[in-house]
Amino acid sequence: NFDNTNTFNAAGRRNVIRNNQAYIGNLIWDVNPAVRFGLEYSRVVTGWGHFAASDGATAAGVVGAGGKSDNVRFAAWYFF
């Protein structure tokens, strides 16, 4: 029951994902018909179902309130 805070924060729900957001942006540049470059940025933010304090502080053995991942990828293609 996700509407009941006591049930949601119960010990059995510690590792449940509460929310997840992903932002992804791509840039592609065709240098000429045979060469292409690509750049991608992605950010993923995840909130967990149970954490130690309302400010997201962690205690021993308790999962934090959430996490973030920022990624950048570069690619080059050559068509022959």
Side-chain angles (χ1 to χ4, degrees):
N1 181 359
F2 289 104
D3 297 327
N4 185 335
T5 303
N6 294 329
T7 302
F8 188 74
N9 288 333
R13 310 224 21 112
R14 284 189 179 135
N15 297 324
V16 175
I17 294 175
R18 184 182 55 212
N19 59 20
N20 195 21
Q21 297 175 347
Y23 305 97
I24 302 171
N26 294 297
L27 294 173
I28 302 290
W29 180 37
D30 288 328
V31 178
N32 61 44
V35 178
R36 176 181 290 171
F37 293 114
L39 184 66
E40 178 183 87
Y41 170 77
S42 64
R43 178 179 182 95
V44 179
V45 180
T46 303
W48 300 99
H50 180 78
F51 47 90
S54 61
D55 63 356
T58 59
V62 178
V63 174
K68 294 179 249 181
S69 174
D70 293 301
N71 302 289
V72 177
R73 295 182 181 95
F74 173 78
W77 293 268
Y78 179 73
F79 301 97
F80 54 92

